[in-house]
Amino acid sequence: MAEPLKHDRSDRSDRSDPFDPPAPRPGGIAARARATTGNAYLEGLNPEQLQAVETLDGPVLVLAGAGTGKTRVLTTRVAHILATGRAFPSQILSVTFTNRAAREMKDRVAAMVGEAVEGMPWLGTFHSIGAKILRRHAELVGLKSNFTILDTDDQIRLLKQILSAADIDDKRWPARVLAGMIDSWKNRGLLPDKVPAGEAASFADGRGAGLYTAYQERLKTLNAVDFGDLLLENLRLFGKEPDVLAQYQARFRYMLVDEYQDTNVAQYLWLRLLAQGQRNLCCVGDDDQSIYGWRGAEVDNILRFEHDFRGAKVIRLERNYRSTGHILATASHLIAHNESRLGKTLRTEAEQGDKVSVTGAWDSEEEAREIGDEIETLRRQGHKLSQIAILVRASFQMREFEDRFVTLNLPYRVIGGPRFYERAEIRDALAYFRCIVSPADDLAFERIVNLPKRGLGESTLQTLHDYARAHNAPLMEAARVLSATEELKPKPRGSLRDLTLAFERWRGQMEAMPHTELAEIVLEESGYTDMWQNERSADAAGRLENLKELVRSMEAFDNLPGFLEHISLVMDVESGAGQDAVNVMTLHSAKGLEFDTVFLPGWEEGLLPHQRSLDEQGRAGLEEERRLAHVGLTRARHRAKLYFASHRRIHGMWNSTVASRFIDELPEANVEVTEAKGGWGQPASRFERAEPFSSTYGTPGWQRGRAQRDENGAKNSTKNGVKGFADKHQRGFKGGPGTIDGKVVGRTSAPRAAFVLGERIFHTKFGYGEVTEVDGNKLTVQFDKAGEKRVIDTFVDRV
DNA sequence: TGATGCTGCGTTTTT
DNA sequence: CGCAGCATCA
């Protein structure tokens, strides 16, 4: 994944924005810090930060708002512990969620205390540390220390096998759904026997828990774990082996946790067990940035910290060093609408800067055009594109921007797309390597046994499975034995023999040659690279390139097993030459990043807040969406620009949309409502600059929109779903050529007479045309100018 | 065994 | 609308 971005308040000296003065550094305090301790690394910390660094004994919760220097606190705290000799590097447990965060922390600690971090073996992600502990004690939980870590793909394939073995219709009860349930159980620290009866019953007529059990058993036979197990098995280990637990409790004199608001129950339990030893647990987080509730994060963990860890000290970091005044005030005012929060008041000493802008566009295309234009202007003024980001709620929004940027010839990069390791060719190659390192890795074997095609089909594989089951042997072994018998037809038999011999040969070469060389040989001799070379599809070349990249990335490791361990936990490869390009990503992937200019399109009801969140999570969902909006705003250093469109194409059809309620929740004093320059002429009267809010929100269109929104919101009605999106009362909003500004075309709720074929109509976006097909409320229209389009009948008028 | 057609679905994503 | 995943057919 490309990762040219800076986080938090990392080095600011290379900031590119020529118009911005350097951000203020907290001054004065440094002197005090020096006087107190004489430690250079404490210089420049503000009093709260200093307190967070120096409060070493007992549980500490650092509530660190966006841009308040939390990473700095965390790294300085480590440096402080080391510098004051309170612990050796190997006695500090420091956990993060992502590899990116772990890497950053490692780098920054290293920069502060020199190379001592080489010796910080317990700095890493929850999963990598869980894996490390588990490998040391694997036998105690029924594994061997070289267990394989399955990813989601393997997990699903395994569950499919289990479902079919249990004779359950994969159609009615999809494996991915079961995988999701098992994940959520594991997230909550639930072993199969602890799963609440109701939940277990909700899958396959009550067989959910049984399937979970079967899955766990199968994992043990395969000597494999999934991601959830890395923690769950730790919990099981600590539960049944108090000695082992005590050993780690004694070891970890200091524990640090980043992004505590994202921890799930299993992680919480894990931390709590380990912290019971020394009780020196420091959790850093921000409840206002909790945006992963849907994947098991428990905001409660942070909300209840003081209760769970008695005597905990809570320190608030509220001085923001990132954003200008208007941006910070806007974000704070918005998030203040949430009820479930600990409450912080962010402040800054930075200048007010530009107001946050809110721009209404006619439709999502105009929105993209407008943003494209503004970016070009910024570029002309000398701003770096890499300091500009477009943050969207859902990835389908990205497409319009990509289209636009391609026509403008504006370099952009999409962050967080399909990831390197998820590509089929990478997973195939890894499966080959896994088969070499772990001959018993059945999942890997199955993946590549007939790839490239070797004439080994369903029936051959079935024979292998039968033998394997009967002799309790891995598939590889079954293949070796059976290829020496008359059991199989000559052709598959020959292929299998060749394959097993090849694997034995490669395994033999493992010691003799560098693993990168072996990797190349394997991909070559197996016919795998040939397979892609012979394929003349458009992306074959890219896949071959990816394979080379994979081999190249192996150079950083000592051997094949080491590489595989890394890849199963990290699975991302540094790439992206870091050229100057606009960053396009989702709000979720923007967490932890910052940019000079942030564009936030799509602030519409149903999209942000997302309808689905509202339907499924009610008020909690709304609050999480609001936090998402807050995260978006707080990514901006100097310019935050919000947009909403009145029409958006969703699933190929144009829907009328209403501005997000979050726009109503912004403080007038810090926001400026502007008008899109595009040609569709939002009537100026509605977007008066002088009195933006009164005039904007006073129009009939707005009021109806709001009325309808309230109606929908009050009930959290599921039935409305995306239909709430298609606002039939928005007709006064249209502003295409030939309409009268601001004129409201009244409409009753009575169904209108159906359109008939051949009828002439007018559409606010596409102009005049003729109906060629009617399908309920959907019309196919041959437009005079725009060609054939499918539209909704409420957007067209008879002429 | 491979290609083609149909159905269903459509938010966010790490490890 | 566009795609992914599956089923069916040649």
Side-chain angles (χ1 to χ4, degrees):
Chain A
M1 179 172 118
E3 199 205 309
L5 310 163
K6 293 264 188 260
H7 323 142
D8 287 329
R9 340 180 23 226
S10 49
D11 184 20
R12 305 181 67 101
S13 59
D14 69 345
R15 281 171 337 120
S16 56
D17 198 320
F19 300 99
D20 302 313
R25 283 275 185 182
I29 300 113
R32 210 192 96 198
R34 243 189 328 273
T36 313
T37 64
N39 293 319
Y41 55 83
L42 294 176
E43 271 180 39
L45 294 178
N46 68 37
E48 299 80 41
Q49 290 174 331
L50 190 63
Q51 190 188 12
V53 167
E54 292 187 322
T55 309
L56 293 175
D57 298 320
V60 178
L61 175 65
V62 181
L63 287 174
T68 55
K70 88 184 154 82
T71 309
R72 176 149 190 217
V73 162
L74 230 30
T75 51
T76 311
R77 193 176 159 99
V78 171
H80 191 54
I81 292 167
L82 294 175
T84 51
R86 285 172 169 255
F88 293 114
S90 62
Q91 293 173 320
I92 301 174
L93 175 71
S94 182
V95 278
T96 63
F97 274 84
T98 63
N99 294 298
R100 186 175 82 192
R103 207 181 314 133
E104 186 187 0
M105 202 154 146
K106 217 164 226 172
D107 292 348
R108 287 174 65 168
V109 174
M112 224 175 285
V113 302
E115 296 314 305
V117 268
E118 288 300 323
M120 271 195 72
W122 303 102
L123 190 167
T125 62
F126 275 102
H127 295 270
S128 66
I129 289 170
K132 188 166 188 165
I133 292 179
L134 205 52
R135 288 210 193 277
R136 295 181 158 200
H137 314 279
E139 335 69 48
L140 295 175
V141 290
L143 292 163
K144 281 179 274 172
S145 76
N146 63 347
F147 59 78
T148 315
I149 300 167
L150 302 188
D151 61 26
T152 329
D153 215 72
D154 294 325
Q155 200 185 355
I156 303 271
R157 284 192 298 143
L158 194 53
L159 284 169
K160 274 191 179 151
Q161 292 174 10
I162 285 166
L163 283 173
S164 95
D167 209 24
I168 290 171
D169 183 10
D170 184 64
K171 255 304 185 345
R172 253 188 85 196
W173 306 105
R176 37 184 42 262
V177 172
L178 180 58
M181 295 180 76
I182 291 178
D183 266 352
S184 83
W185 290 329
K186 290 186 176 179
N187 283 161
R188 284 182 285 156
L190 299 171
L191 290 161
D193 56 315
K194 295 279 166 40
V195 173
E199 285 182 55
S202 68
F203 191 88
D205 307 315
R207 287 190 277 178
L211 291 166
Y212 181 15
T213 311
Y215 171 67
Q216 291 305 98
E217 278 167 7
R218 186 86 184 99
L219 285 176
K220 288 279 144 58
T221 349
L222 288 170
N223 189 34
V225 298
D226 62 20
F227 284 121
D229 284 335
L230 290 175
L231 279 155
L232 191 62
E233 291 291 352
N234 264 254
L235 292 178
R236 207 157 69 83
L237 170 72
F238 292 155
K240 67 195 273 278
E241 308 286 341
D243 292 355
V244 176
L245 174 60
Q247 175 192 328
Y248 287 98
Q249 286 176 334
R251 165 181 292 273
F252 298 136
R253 306 185 62 167
Y254 292 93
M255 296 171 55
L256 296 90
V257 185
D258 191 15
E259 305 276 19
Y260 187 65
Q261 78 281 356
D262 287 339
T263 49
N264 60 36
V265 172
Q267 287 155 342
Y268 162 78
L269 294 170
W270 187 82
L271 288 170
R272 197 178 64 176
L273 279 175
L274 289 172
Q276 270 163 6
Q278 320 262 346
R279 286 183 44 85
N280 296 329
L281 172 68
C282 174
C283 294
V284 179
D286 181 2
D287 50 322
D288 292 335
Q289 292 186 63
S290 164
I291 54 175
Y292 285 111
W294 49 274
R295 69 176 196 210
E298 280 285 335
V299 208
D300 257 19
N301 287 349
I302 196 166
L303 300 178
R304 286 188 358 222
F305 188 88
E306 288 181 87
H307 174 260
D308 292 335
F309 298 94
R310 268 183 299 145
K313 179 113 192 152
V314 179
I315 297 165
R316 285 182 158 74
L317 302 186
E318 298 177 307
R319 296 183 202 218
N320 174 291
Y321 298 103
R322 179 186 296 157
S323 309
T324 49
H326 284 308
I327 294 172
L328 195 63
T330 304
S332 301
H333 195 269
L334 172 67
I335 199 63
H337 288 80
N338 271 5
E339 285 170 31
S340 311
R341 62 191 291 255
L342 294 168
K344 287 182 303 299
T345 316
L346 293 183
R347 55 181 186 277
T348 178
E349 287 164 29
E351 60 184 51
Q352 285 291 76
D354 295 346
K355 285 189 176 181
V356 172
S357 74
V358 175
T359 308
W362 169 250
D363 63 15
S364 43
E365 286 173 12
E366 187 186 72
E367 181 185 64
R369 230 176 298 134
E370 181 73 17
I371 290 179
D373 290 351
E374 291 196 43
I375 291 175
E376 290 202 307
T377 305
L378 286 170
R379 168 140 91 158
R380 274 195 299 275
Q381 294 171 346
H383 295 266
K384 260 197 192 170
L385 295 183
S386 58
Q387 276 307 323
I388 298 173
I390 297 178
L391 310 183
V392 298
R393 173 65 242 262
S395 39
F396 76 81
Q397 293 174 260
M398 291 180 182
R399 206 175 146 169
E400 253 150 341
F401 292 102
E402 295 194 54
D403 288 351
R404 192 66 199 143
F405 292 166
V406 168
T407 40
L408 292 178
N409 201 15
L410 203 58
Y412 70 92
R413 101 188 100 219
V414 172
I415 309 244
R419 303 166 78 237
F420 187 73
Y421 71 89
E422 277 165 356
R423 294 157 207 257
E425 67 276 17
I426 300 303
R427 301 179 44 81
D428 294 338
L430 291 175
Y432 272 101
F433 304 156
R434 274 161 61 183
C435 283
I436 295 171
V437 173
S438 332
D441 192 333
D442 285 359
L443 287 162
F445 182 81
E446 274 178 86
R447 186 177 179 102
I448 48 85
V449 66
N450 198 32
L451 199 80
K453 299 272 178 288
R454 301 186 172 93
L456 299 166
E458 192 87 9
S459 61
T460 313
L461 212 57
Q462 192 53 52
T463 316
L464 289 184
H465 267 296
D466 292 346
Y467 179 92
R469 178 156 309 184
H471 294 80
N472 199 18
L475 290 174
M476 181 77 81
E477 174 67 7
R480 198 183 60 79
V481 174
L482 288 177
S483 63
T485 70
E486 300 294 321
E487 207 76 41
L488 298 162
K489 295 199 192 98
K491 221 167 71 183
R493 187 185 150 188
S495 305
L496 267 188
R497 202 193 48 233
D498 291 349
L499 188 66
T500 49
L501 286 176
F503 270 113
E504 276 166 32
R505 192 173 63 245
W506 295 328
R507 221 166 279 140
Q509 288 167 305
M510 209 164 33
E511 303 297 319
M513 63 173 68
H515 58 292
T516 48
E517 199 177 317
L518 177 61
E520 278 169 3
I521 287 176
V522 170
L523 295 178
E524 201 56 50
E525 291 184 359
S526 63
Y528 190 74
T529 40
D530 283 349
M531 181 183 92
W532 287 115
Q533 250 139 23
N534 296 332
E535 186 176 305
R536 39 192 185 73
S537 70
D539 49 289
R543 292 179 191 272
L544 287 165
E545 195 45 53
N546 288 337
L547 288 171
K548 278 192 198 140
E549 176 70 37
L550 179 73
V551 173
R552 229 173 291 141
S553 72
M554 295 171 70
E555 281 168 16
F557 298 85
D558 297 335
N559 50 43
L560 211 44
F563 172 71
L564 288 175
E565 168 77 2
H566 171 85
I567 208 79
S568 61
L569 286 171
V570 175
M571 287 188 157
D572 92 40
V573 174
E574 291 287 337
S575 70
Q579 42 160 339
D580 193 39
V582 177
N583 301 284
V584 183
M585 70 190 89
T586 63
L587 287 164
H588 283 93
S589 33
K591 196 171 76 157
L593 306 179
E594 60 180 355
F595 305 90
D596 285 336
T597 307
V598 170
F599 291 93
L600 297 161
W603 281 44
E604 293 137 33
E605 282 298 297
L607 187 55
L608 180 71
H610 200 280
Q611 191 62 43
R612 215 147 151 171
S613 266
L614 262 27
D615 290 345
E616 287 164 17
Q617 308 288 329
R619 203 202 71 178
L622 174 64
E623 298 211 339
E624 183 152 312
E625 295 289 310
R626 195 179 276 116
R627 291 194 289 267
L628 213 38
H630 171 255
V631 165
L633 279 169
T634 52
R635 298 310 95 197
R637 291 196 195 100
H638 303 292
R639 280 167 296 277
K641 294 170 175 290
L642 317 191
Y643 296 79
F644 64 92
S646 305
H647 298 86
R648 185 170 294 277
R649 188 161 40 189
I650 294 170
H651 311 326
M653 264 190 325
W654 285 95
N655 289 72
S656 187
T657 47
V658 177
S660 169
R661 71 190 75 188
F662 297 152
I663 289 180
D664 294 347
E665 293 172 0
L666 305 177
E668 278 188 45
N670 307 289
V671 173
E672 164 185 54
V673 176
T674 69
E675 148 186 8
K677 298 194 293 290
W680 287 104
Q682 286 284 1
S685 62
R686 258 209 263 67
F687 287 92
E688 197 61 60
R689 285 163 194 278
E691 272 187 298
F693 281 88
S694 52
S695 60
T696 303
Y697 296 133
T699 59
W702 272 103
Q703 289 184 343
R704 270 192 311 279
R706 189 184 301 211
Q708 199 209 14
R709 180 199 308 160
D710 291 346
E711 197 184 312
N712 291 343
K715 297 270 186 299
N716 270 326
S717 61
T718 324
K719 58 177 190 300
N720 251 342
V722 178
K723 271 164 234 118
F725 241 87
D727 178 0
K728 295 188 178 152
H729 303 276
Q730 282 290 305
R731 305 187 48 78
F733 225 79
K734 73 186 174 194
T739 54
I740 302 158
D741 282 359
K743 183 183 168 194
V744 176
V745 182
R747 182 159 304 288
T748 66
S749 55
R752 52 158 59 193
F755 285 88
V756 295
L757 297 185
E759 198 167 1
R760 291 287 293 172
I761 55 93
F762 173 78
H763 184 274
T764 51
K765 178 174 169 58
F766 302 123
Y768 293 92
E770 194 174 304
V771 177
T772 58
E773 204 183 317
V774 180
D775 171 20
N777 65 336
K778 287 170 239 160
L779 308 176
T780 306
V781 178
Q782 183 64 43
F783 286 102
D784 300 348
K785 298 243 170 63
E788 193 178 79
K789 304 273 181 199
R790 299 241 298 167
V791 296
I792 290 200
D793 62 2
T794 46
F795 295 153
V796 305
D797 277 325
R798 296 198 158 82
V799 286

